[in-house]
Amino acid sequence: MSGRPPPASNSGTVSDERINQAKRRRVQNHSSEPTKAPIGPRQLKEGFTVERYRVGAPPLQILPLDFIDVDPNTEEKAAFEAISSQVEQILIAKGVDADMDYTEVCHRPILGETESGVQDLTIAIDANWKEDTSRVSWLLAVEEIRSLLLQNAVLRDVKVEIISWEATQQRRIEAIAAGHPLVGAWRQINPHLHTIIGQFPKLNDLWKTIDVLRIGWNETWGFPFVDPPLVAVVSITVDWDLNPQDWEPAERRIRALLTEHGFPKKLPIGADLGPAKDFETSPGGTKVPGSSGTFGGYIDVYRGHEAPLRLGLTTYRSVRECVEGFGYEDLDPEAPEKGAIEASVPPKSPLSKLDESGMGPEYAKRDQMILESPSRRKHNHTLQSHASAIQKCEKELGTERDVEARAYYASQRDDETKKYNKKKAFFDNGSHHLGRLWMCSGLRDRSEANGRLDYALIEMEPERIGDNTIPPQSSWPGPRSSPPGYVLNRLIKGVASPKDLRKNDNVFKVGSRTGARKLNGVKSDMRMDTNGSAAVPKGKKGYSSEHCLVSPGPLSDSGSLVLDDRGQWVGVLFGRPRKGGVIGDKIAYMMEAQPILDHMQETTKEFGYQFKLAA
């Protein structure tokens, strides 16, 4: 089916036969009950499948399913083409926001079982789900389309399925190996889930099963030479007509339970992050792993009497790649293996608009601007690096005779294995999910002092939201390279200006790429060359006036917070000199904290927002 995502592959840690057995059990155990309430003048006796983002009749198989085109010469294809205009009119009349370009007759077999003979010929209709109307309009449309098919001798056994893109994301469901660490965690969680359900009487008779633990993955994640990242999903089935007021309190309790058991962990300040995208260059088609940035900390947003919204802070440059319009192109089209460079920004693209003027919260296209932590591209790359190092040590151990050398390689192998397992476990527990872009500055604005303004706010997944706790002593190189002990493992105390720093005061930054470290003070009013940069604002060519930080070692982590000796927020790292070298790599620029908050306030004043450092 044109435009559909390709099916997930069957490679992985579990054999194909075990996967297929799990899928067969899944289908055999699934049943779709007919709806009991009449929904129209011709109540169908065959029943419906009714799920969020998906409605069909007769009852459909449980997802995930494949999309396979039928032979264009079949009589079913011709019969559908003859009635497609009637189908379109039914969809319009029922208020279904469907795309007829992706409405066609196709096979819907279980992923990986296309040769089994169970093809499920289906008219699949791609539509946009609307929370307030689709549960009714889709049911009515399916009923009328099925009634139309029942009058056609060729199509009377063809199913009808209206499905939104949210339900078509390819996910693989695997049986979990008995030794998987999630098995033990599930045994601990399961009794607590039953206890929570028992405390909500209206839910007791509506739950079908909760003893299900699924592991799924998207085939675009990861490289073929490392294990694909796994995401644990607890599946709990509830009745379609369940009142959200009955469900939401239980959901909050369950989310809290999962968070308590580490699924997933709250995001600390200084974590790694990146956009949830891979890039293909053109015309070479080279896969490019994008860059990543640093998660700074938390900002609380207030409006009227509403409860405050806690958002994550980083730089706009750290999240630019998640915006539609960003891409790479081959450095040499004739030799794409030579590498890639950032492509020109397409005119009138969302990226072009955001670069020029930023984006307020009222205009966020959140479905296009997804962020992860840490960057899955960096994650997969580092897993590959550790796996290669392990293999190298194993190879040396296989040939080396010297006792001391063997001890060295064994120690290196064990160290790399620990790193590999720790980073893989982070992904296995679903701890990489972060959130969506909520607001950003763009590249053009400056502060009143002609300094850079470069920030982005992230709407976090609720279970990932943490606080601005300064890391404990164990995260720093040593007592002489950390803030005073009385500010460690405590919340950041407030906002300070670089002008308030005393002559010999130190500043500190927290970031995952070059670690938590002490910096040698702040140098203000440093000129930054912006000639030729996309960040040059209109009418301000040449230089900007910036704060500069100097480090005894390599300095990076754009987006990380800069703190003073008293545990106050001074600014945000945002870049280094365009010419690196021994000196340039130890220098970074810093945006002052208060002008960032002031700019947020000014650009959203018509909506009544107020921004404060989360306390």
Side-chain angles (χ1 to χ4, degrees):
M1 193 170 182
S2 59
R4 299 289 184 186
S9 89
N10 281 333
S11 61
T13 57
V14 184
S15 69
D16 287 351
E17 181 56 31
R18 286 187 62 189
I19 294 170
N20 287 335
Q21 288 175 0
K23 291 175 180 175
R24 291 188 188 100
R25 289 195 299 272
R26 174 171 57 84
V27 174
Q28 290 166 1
N29 295 335
H30 172 66
S31 63
S32 295
E33 300 177 0
T35 56
K36 297 178 181 179
I39 59 170
R42 295 176 301 280
Q43 170 69 18
L44 296 178
K45 297 180 180 180
E46 58 192 4
F48 295 81
T49 290
V50 182
E51 302 170 351
R52 192 182 189 192
Y53 307 128
R54 183 176 183 241
V55 175
L60 309 171
Q61 296 191 86
I62 192 171
L63 294 174
L65 301 174
D66 208 345
F67 287 94
I68 300 179
D69 291 335
V70 300
D71 188 324
N73 298 318
T74 60
E75 61 180 353
E76 289 89 355
K77 185 78 169 181
F80 172 69
E81 292 296 335
I83 67 166
S84 61
S85 60
Q86 292 175 266
V87 171
E88 182 176 13
Q89 290 303 314
I90 291 172
L91 295 170
I92 294 173
K94 302 303 180 186
V96 178
D97 183 10
D99 186 345
M100 290 304 293
D101 290 338
Y102 291 119
T103 297
E104 52 189 294
V105 62
C106 63
H107 294 295
R108 294 284 274 141
I110 301 170
L111 287 173
E113 296 192 357
T114 56
E115 304 301 325
S116 67
V118 182
Q119 296 293 311
D120 267 6
L121 200 60
T122 304
I123 294 176
I125 301 168
D126 194 333
N128 293 317
W129 176 265
K130 299 177 181 178
E131 292 288 349
D132 53 344
T133 60
S134 289
R135 66 173 62 201
V136 175
S137 62
W138 286 23
L139 277 167
L140 294 173
V142 165
E143 182 200 34
E144 191 158 335
I145 294 170
R146 270 297 294 158
S147 298
L148 177 65
L149 300 185
L150 289 172
Q151 301 170 27
N152 189 304
V154 177
L155 299 175
R156 62 179 301 107
D157 294 325
V158 176
K159 294 184 176 182
V160 179
E161 177 182 24
I162 304 180
I163 187 167
S164 176
W165 69 269
E166 287 95 339
T168 63
Q169 306 306 295
Q170 296 294 340
R171 292 281 181 173
R172 172 171 166 181
I173 297 178
E174 289 186 351
I176 301 174
H180 196 287
L182 289 174
V183 174
W186 175 246
R187 289 172 182 160
Q188 295 180 29
I189 293 173
N190 196 12
H192 297 293
L193 279 173
H194 285 285
T195 300
I196 292 173
I197 293 169
Q199 294 172 355
F200 293 88
K202 292 186 178 181
L203 304 185
N204 282 344
D205 297 330
L206 302 178
W207 295 76
K208 305 298 191 300
T209 175
I210 64 172
D211 294 349
V212 178
L213 189 62
R214 294 181 180 177
I215 291 184
W217 68 289
N218 184 310
E219 69 156 7
T220 60
W221 297 349
F223 301 158
F225 33 72
V226 298
D227 291 335
L230 303 176
V231 180
V233 180
V234 179
S235 286
I236 303 172
T237 305
V238 299
D239 191 277
W240 173 262
D241 295 325
L242 183 66
N243 190 318
Q245 294 179 349
D246 298 328
W247 160 245
E248 289 170 357
E251 182 181 19
R252 287 195 296 269
R253 292 276 302 278
I254 292 170
R255 281 184 177 273
L257 175 66
L258 295 176
T259 301
E260 180 183 342
H261 284 79
F263 299 103
K265 297 179 180 178
K266 297 183 183 298
L267 199 72
I269 65 174
D272 192 14
L273 64 86
K277 279 190 178 183
D278 284 322
F279 299 93
E280 280 195 4
T281 64
S282 179
T286 306
K287 277 284 188 181
V288 177
S291 61
S292 60
T294 299
F295 176 79
Y298 293 94
I299 300 294
D300 281 344
V301 184
Y302 299 82
R303 182 164 69 169
H305 298 291
E306 299 175 7
L309 175 65
R310 180 155 294 186
L311 303 173
L313 173 68
T314 186
T315 61
Y316 173 58
R317 287 183 177 276
S318 296
V319 303
R320 250 182 110 238
E321 293 180 16
C322 75
V323 183
E324 183 181 350
F326 187 92
Y328 286 94
E329 60 188 7
D330 294 310
L331 189 62
D332 184 349
E334 301 299 324
E337 68 277 1
K338 290 185 177 181
I341 56 175
E342 182 180 332
S344 300
V345 179
K348 298 183 179 180
S349 66
L351 182 62
S352 174
K353 295 176 182 177
L354 264 62
D355 282 352
E356 179 68 30
S357 56
M359 177 186 70
E362 307 298 323
Y363 308 102
K365 297 182 179 179
R366 299 172 187 173
D367 58 333
Q368 297 178 6
M369 304 181 188
I370 308 300
L371 294 159
E372 297 185 350
S373 171
S375 164
R376 62 183 165 85
R377 290 175 300 284
K378 183 181 178 184
H379 171 80
N380 292 323
H381 175 72
T382 53
L383 280 188
Q384 178 207 356
S385 299
H386 292 312
S388 299
I390 294 169
Q391 293 173 2
K392 183 178 179 180
C393 291
E394 293 285 3
K395 183 178 179 180
E396 294 292 345
L397 285 169
T399 59
E400 183 60 61
R401 301 291 182 183
D402 183 77
V403 176
E404 291 186 2
R406 287 183 61 81
Y408 168 78
Y409 287 121
S411 175
Q412 289 292 104
R413 176 200 59 195
D414 294 344
D415 184 53
E416 292 291 338
T417 301
K418 289 179 181 178
K419 292 177 181 177
Y420 179 93
N421 291 336
K422 181 179 180 181
K423 292 176 181 178
K424 186 173 182 296
F426 188 89
F427 244 72
D428 288 355
N429 290 345
S431 299
H432 59 295
H433 296 299
L434 180 58
R436 300 163 180 81
L437 186 60
W438 190 83
M439 176 183 176
C440 63
S441 62
L443 295 174
R444 302 289 176 173
D445 284 344
R446 295 279 184 86
S447 68
E448 292 184 1
N450 194 31
R452 176 82 71 86
L453 281 168
D454 179 353
Y455 64 83
L457 291 177
I458 305 164
E459 183 180 26
M460 310 284 289
E461 296 292 343
E463 62 272 17
R464 300 309 312 279
I465 299 174
D467 57 35
N468 288 325
T469 297
I470 301 172
Q473 187 64 68
S474 59
S475 299
W476 301 82
R480 295 184 178 181
S481 300
S482 69
Y486 65 85
V487 305
L488 297 179
N489 210 26
R490 298 179 181 273
L491 291 174
I492 299 173
K493 294 183 177 179
V495 179
S497 169
K499 297 178 182 178
D500 298 331
L501 295 174
R502 294 164 296 194
K503 183 177 181 181
N504 296 320
D505 279 355
N506 293 307
V507 292
F508 306 83
K509 70 95 181 172
V510 180
S512 63
R513 305 188 74 180
T514 53
R517 63 168 57 186
K518 180 172 73 173
L519 308 174
N520 297 336
V522 177
K523 311 296 182 184
S524 298
D525 299 324
M526 302 293 291
R527 294 207 309 169
M528 178 179 176
D529 183 3
T530 58
N531 283 304
S533 170
V536 178
K538 295 178 181 178
K540 291 187 178 180
K541 301 289 183 181
Y543 293 87
S544 63
S545 179
E546 307 294 351
H547 301 288
C548 183
L549 305 172
V550 181
S551 170
L555 186 58
S556 61
D557 284 315
S558 291
S560 61
L561 301 186
V562 178
L563 312 173
D564 66 12
D565 273 326
R566 293 173 290 282
Q568 299 176 113
W569 177 33
V570 178
V572 176
L573 286 182
F574 73 87
R576 294 185 292 179
R578 290 163 60 196
K579 295 182 180 180
V582 177
I583 297 178
D585 288 343
K586 298 180 180 181
I587 295 175
Y589 295 114
M590 182 193 78
M591 294 174 288
E592 192 173 342
Q594 190 59 51
I596 294 175
L597 295 174
D598 293 343
H599 189 266
M600 293 175 184
Q601 191 87 22
E602 179 64 25
T603 54
T604 61
K605 61 182 180 181
E606 62 179 300
F607 303 112
Y609 290 105
Q610 293 184 334
F611 300 84
K612 297 180 181 180
L613 178 71

